[in-house]
Amino acid sequence: MTTRRRFVQQLGALASASAVGALAPTFARAQSAKLRVGLMLPYTGTYAALGTAITQGFNIALEENGGKLGGRDVEFFTVDDESEPAKATDNANRLVQRDKVDVLIGTVHSGVVMAMVKIARDTGTLLVIPNAGANAATRSQCAPNIFRTSFTNWQPAHPMGKVMYERGHRKVVTLTWKYGAGEESVESFKEAFTKQGGAIVKEMYLPFPNVEFQPFITEIASLRPDAVFVFFAGGGAVKFTKDYAAAGLKDKIPLYGSGFLTDGTLEAQGASAQGLLTTLHYGDGIENAKNKQFRYAYGKKYGVQADVYAVQGYDACLLLAGGLAAVKGSFGDKKALYGALEKVKIDSPRGVWTMSKAHNPIQDIYLRRVEGNANQVIGIAWKALDDPANGCKMQA
Amino acid sequence: MEWLIQVLNSVQYGLLLFLVASGLTLIFGIMGVINLAHGSFYMIGAYLAFSLTQWTGNLWVALPLGIILAAVLGLLLEWLLIGRLYRRDHLHQVLLTFGLILVFEELRSITVGDDVHSVVIPAILGGSLPLTENLSYPVYRLFISAVCLALAAAMYLTIQKTRLGMMIRAGASNPEMAQSLGVNIRWIHALVFAAGVALAAFAGMIAAPVSSVFPGMGNQVLIVCFVVVVIGGIGSLKGALVASLLIGFADTFGKVLVPELAGVAVYLLMAIVLLFRPAGLFGRV
C-alpha cells in the first residue's frame, strides 16, 4: 500500500519539481545586501492549505515590518516540498547549496522536517520551523541554529491529561493513527493523565491514513470508558467525529482531543463536533489587541479567516525580525545572532511567548469548546507550558 | 453481542468494497484493461454527490444525475483514450490510467478545492437503531448494505441470464469470434467500461455521507480494490463478492483482535490465498 502510494506521489512530485526547476533561473541573483530567505513548504497535496496559510501569515508580519528584516530587503526562494519525505533532502539542499539562503523556513510534515533538521545541523544554516511538531527537532536533534515557532507534538496533548482528570474522568480509551504525530500526542496525554492518577483502559491504533473506524467504535462502546482521547486531523478528524456521533456515543462517552481534531474542519463536521473540548496553543476569540489586529489585516488582505497555521507563519517572521534587528541584520557573528533570536519576546496573536532553551515556544495552551464554526477559547488549560526537551544537549 | 456487531461492521465494509471493486474486475476481466484510475472514479462520485446535493438540495436527485454524468464520462474516456489501448501492452494502460489519476486530482483541486466536505444523510435514513444500551447503528449504513446486495444480484442476473450478458461473456472469452458472429465488440466494450465507471462513482456517491469527501480518497480505495480483484480472481464477480467480504472480516477483526497487525491483515490474507490458489479463489488459470 505504502509503496504504491509513494510511487504515485513521486511521479506527481517529478512533474511539479520540473516546473519549479524551469522557473528558478528567472529569479534574479540577489545583491549581497538582500537577505535570502528559503521557504520550503507544501503548496500542493493534502497540506497545501497549511503551507499557504503559513506563507500568508509570514507576509503580513513582513509588511508590518516595512518589507525588511534587520534593515535588509528580503528575497524569497520557494520550494514546494509536497509533504514528501523522500524528496525532502534534495529540496532542502537545493535551497541551501544552490540558492545559498541565509535562513531556511519550513515545514508542515514531521517526516520532511527531520530531513531539514539534519541539513541544518550539517551545514549550520539557520532553520525556523513554522509547524511540524516532531518532538526530536527540539529534543535529541536540537541545535543552536534550529528554532521552532509552533509546538512539539507533546505540548497541545499534555494539558488534556490534566483537564480530563479534573473533569472527573478516571478510565480512558485512546485512539489514533499509528504514525509520529499520533503516537507522540497519545504518549504525552497518557503521561499527564496517569500522573494525575487516571488509567488508560486500552490504547488503540490504526494505520495512517485509514478511516474505517467502525470496529473501534464498537469496541469503545463495549469497553465503556469514562471518556475517549483521540488524535486525528483533516479528513480523518471529520470522519471520526461523524462516525462517533452517528453511533450515538457522543452524548454517552465524552470525546476529547488535541486541537487538530476540530481545526479547519468544523464546517464539514457540523453537528458532530458541537461542544467538543480540545486543547491547542491558539483558538478563536482570544481577547488581545494583537490578535484582533492580525485577524483584521489577514482577512482584509487574503479574504479568508486566519488560522493557527497563519499565526505560526506570522510568528516565524516576528522571530526573525526581532532577532535580526538586534544584530543589525548581520550573519557575521552567529553566536550573537542565535543569542538574539533566543531572547526575542514574541508578541503573537496567540499571546506573548518566549523561546525555551531548546528553541521551542514556552506558551499557554488554551482549552477550547466548539461553538458553531469556531473553536471558542474558554480558558487556559496550562499556563506557559514548556516542552521537557528530553535529550537536548545544545552545543554552542 | 459485541461480536455480532463486529460481524455487521465486517459485512457492511465488505459489501461497499464489492461495489467499487466489481467495476474494476469487470473492466479487467472482460476488456483486459488495467484501470488505475478506478479509484479516481470513486473520488469523482463522492465529489459529484457533494456538488450535486448542494446544487439540487437533495441526495435522491443527485444520485441519478451523478450516475448519468459518470456513465457519460466513462463513454467519453473509452472512446477518446481507453479504446486505443486494447491491443497494447498492459504497461501502456497503466501509464495512461495513472496519468488520468493526476489529471482528475488536479481538476478536482481546481474546481472544488482541497477542503474536506461532508454530504448530509437524507432525513428519512438519518436515524439510528439502538443495538446495545450505549451503541446504536446508523440506518444509513444498513441502507448501503442493502443497496450493495441488490446491485450484486442485478449484476449477476444481467451477466448470467440475459442476452446482453451472453454477448459480454462471449466478447470476453473470444472477441474475434464474437465479432464475426455479429456481436458489436466496440459497443460492448464501451458499455462495460461506462458501467464500471458508473459503479465506482455510484459507490463513491452513496459512501460520501458516511466517509466524508476529501482529496486523495480514491487512492486509498484503489489499493484495496486491487487486493479484492487478486484474491477473488481476475474478472470473476462471484470472486469479487467473496473476496470483499473476506477482506471486510480480516480488516475488522484484525483491528480488534491483533491491533499490531491491523495494517497488514488484508495483505496477509492475500498472500495466504495466493499461496494456495495462485489465480485467486475463482480465477481461471
Side-chain angles (χ1 to χ4, degrees):
Chain A
M1 183 159 179
T2 327
T3 15
R4 177 85 52 116
R5 183 167 317 115
R6 187 158 296 161
F7 171 68
V8 169
Q9 286 170 344
Q10 272 167 353
L11 278 200
L14 210 72
S16 40
S18 49
V20 170
L23 283 177
T26 62
F27 284 123
R29 277 281 174 220
Q31 302 92 356
S32 57
K34 279 192 177 172
L35 184 74
R36 303 167 78 89
V37 174
L39 291 176
M40 180 164 153
L41 289 162
Y43 296 106
T44 55
T46 314
Y47 289 143
L50 282 62
T52 307
I54 289 168
T55 311
Q56 292 176 348
F58 191 94
N59 283 332
I60 293 276
L62 189 61
E63 261 177 37
E64 287 175 8
N65 217 35
K68 293 181 187 230
L69 291 172
R72 294 166 68 179
D73 283 327
V74 175
E75 181 170 19
F76 285 109
F77 298 85
T78 308
V79 164
D80 176 8
D81 70 35
E82 302 152 49
S83 298
E84 174 51 81
K87 298 194 65 204
T89 305
D90 283 347
N91 282 334
N93 266 329
R94 186 177 306 156
L95 288 169
V96 171
Q97 310 289 357
R98 189 193 65 189
D99 299 329
K100 309 240 177 304
V101 296
D102 297 308
V103 49
L104 186 58
I105 296 173
T107 185
V108 171
H109 188 284
S110 285
V112 177
V113 100
M114 289 320 292
M116 299 175 75
V117 163
K118 176 155 195 321
I119 284 173
R121 286 171 66 94
D122 290 350
T123 62
T125 308
L126 176 61
L127 170 65
V128 178
I129 305 169
N131 185 70
N135 287 343
T138 53
R139 289 191 179 179
S140 61
Q141 301 299 306
C142 75
N145 57 324
I146 298 173
F147 293 82
R148 175 146 56 191
T149 62
S150 50
F151 55 89
T152 58
N153 285 330
W154 182 91
Q155 271 182 318
H158 197 74
M160 201 36 120
K162 201 175 84 173
V163 168
M164 285 172 70
Y165 189 87
E166 280 165 4
R167 291 176 65 85
H169 304 309
R170 296 294 177 265
K171 288 184 185 147
V172 167
V173 168
T174 65
L175 174 64
T176 187
W177 283 313
K178 198 159 187 59
Y179 83 122
E183 288 176 305
E184 287 182 351
S185 297
V186 164
E187 198 51 44
S188 162
F189 161 77
K190 186 177 147 192
E191 181 191 318
F193 188 64
T194 50
K195 199 174 163 194
Q196 297 276 333
I200 307 288
V201 184
K202 190 165 184 181
E203 286 175 52
M204 301 194 288
Y205 296 95
L206 71 163
F208 178 84
N210 191 312
V211 289
E212 193 49 40
F213 298 122
Q214 209 61 28
F216 297 106
I217 286 173
T218 306
E219 183 77 357
I220 288 170
S222 79
L223 286 170
R224 299 159 182 272
D226 297 344
V228 178
F229 174 87
V230 298
F231 174 92
F232 291 114
V238 174
K239 182 157 194 302
F240 183 78
T241 56
K242 294 190 84 160
D243 284 358
Y244 198 77
L249 289 180
K250 183 167 177 277
D251 300 321
K252 290 177 185 129
I253 306 175
L255 176 67
Y256 298 85
S258 63
F260 307 102
L261 183 67
T262 56
D263 246 69
T265 49
L266 284 175
E267 194 202 329
Q269 283 166 321
S272 72
Q274 291 306 309
L276 290 189
L277 293 180
T278 59
T279 43
L280 199 67
H281 52 289
Y282 187 66
D284 295 305
I286 292 178
E287 286 293 327
N288 67 45
K290 190 72 182 191
N291 192 33
K292 279 186 193 144
Q293 174 214 329
F294 170 70
R295 295 191 73 95
Y296 177 75
Y298 194 91
K300 195 172 154 207
K301 175 141 194 205
Y302 297 110
V304 290
Q305 291 285 317
D307 56 16
V308 62
Y309 308 107
V311 171
Q312 290 164 179
Y314 183 81
D315 288 2
C317 186
L318 287 190
L319 172 74
L320 288 173
L324 284 167
V327 295
K328 302 200 169 46
S330 159
F331 276 70
D333 185 350
K334 289 276 168 92
K335 210 169 167 184
L337 172 64
Y338 301 152
L341 287 168
E342 260 176 25
K343 283 188 204 71
V344 180
K345 207 170 176 190
I346 311 278
D347 184 14
S348 162
R350 71 182 102 159
V352 178
W353 61 268
T354 53
M355 274 290 168
S356 73
K357 286 212 166 59
H359 298 176
N360 187 68
I362 300 175
Q363 56 190 335
D364 295 346
I365 304 293
Y366 298 98
L367 180 62
R368 309 118 33 98
R369 182 167 51 221
V370 177
E371 286 166 14
N373 268 349
N375 284 292
Q376 213 64 40
V377 168
I378 56 170
I380 292 177
W382 202 304
K383 189 96 192 129
L385 182 63
D386 186 8
D387 185 84
N390 303 326
C392 170
K393 289 190 193 70
M394 199 70 82
Q395 265 127 28
Chain B
M1 187 62 194
E2 194 211 326
W3 289 92
L4 280 177
I5 300 173
Q6 295 291 23
V7 168
L8 189 62
N9 290 334
S10 311
V11 170
Q12 193 253 322
Y13 178 50
L15 284 174
L16 185 61
L17 210 50
F18 167 73
L19 200 53
V20 197
S22 57
L24 187 66
T25 202
L26 276 180
I27 293 173
F28 207 166
I30 292 171
M31 304 156 64
V33 172
I34 298 179
N35 179 21
L36 287 187
H38 200 70
S40 299
F41 300 133
Y42 175 79
M43 185 266 298
I44 289 171
Y47 274 90
L48 276 178
F50 165 69
S51 311
L52 292 174
T53 315
Q54 272 209 328
W55 185 51
T56 62
N58 192 334
L59 186 66
W60 302 126
V61 186
L63 279 177
L65 268 180
I67 294 174
I68 293 168
L69 285 177
V72 170
L73 172 72
L75 285 174
L76 265 178
L77 282 175
E78 201 276 344
W79 175 59
L80 276 174
L81 301 169
I82 309 287
R84 294 161 206 276
L85 293 181
Y86 293 140
R87 289 169 190 284
R88 300 270 197 97
D89 191 42
H90 279 326
L91 187 62
H92 292 117
Q93 302 167 355
V94 168
L95 275 176
L96 174 76
T97 52
F98 177 74
L100 285 178
I101 296 183
L102 299 180
V103 170
F104 287 136
E105 278 293 323
E106 206 52 41
L107 283 177
R108 189 250 327 127
S109 178
I110 293 168
T111 53
V112 200
D114 295 328
D115 291 334
V116 182
H117 296 289
S118 66
V119 176
V120 181
I121 295 176
I124 192 168
L125 297 171
S128 293
L129 296 174
L131 290 185
T132 64
E133 54 191 283
N134 65 349
L135 183 71
S136 8
Y137 212 79
V139 174
Y140 189 78
R141 282 183 180 266
L142 299 175
F143 164 74
I144 293 181
S145 301
V147 170
C148 292
L149 276 176
L151 267 172
M155 266 189 280
Y156 176 79
L157 290 177
T158 310
I159 291 192
Q160 295 300 329
K161 307 283 178 193
T162 65
R163 191 177 168 76
L164 176 67
M166 208 164 70
M167 291 197 283
I168 291 175
R169 280 179 289 143
S173 46
N174 192 335
E176 282 80 14
M177 183 56 83
Q179 181 92 24
S180 64
L181 289 174
V183 176
N184 188 342
I185 287 295
R186 226 16 262 254
W187 186 79
I188 292 282
H189 279 168
L191 191 75
V192 169
F193 191 78
V197 173
L199 275 171
F202 179 70
M205 284 192 278
I206 62 165
V210 289
S211 77
S212 74
V213 179
F214 55 95
M217 62 189 295
N219 300 342
Q220 281 187 28
V221 89
L222 175 71
I223 314 289
V224 194
C225 282
F226 269 106
V227 177
V228 169
V229 172
V230 169
I231 292 182
I234 291 164
S236 163
L237 270 184
K238 205 198 305 172
L241 181 60
V242 174
S244 300
L245 289 172
L246 276 177
I247 287 179
F249 277 93
D251 189 68
T252 304
F253 283 93
K255 278 171 177 167
V256 179
L257 299 178
V258 271
E260 301 79 21
L261 290 180
V264 294
V266 168
Y267 307 100
L268 269 179
L269 176 72
M270 178 170 79
I272 293 168
V273 168
L274 287 185
L275 213 53
F276 295 101
R277 312 269 317 217
L281 291 174
F282 296 88
R284 287 159 293 185
V285 184

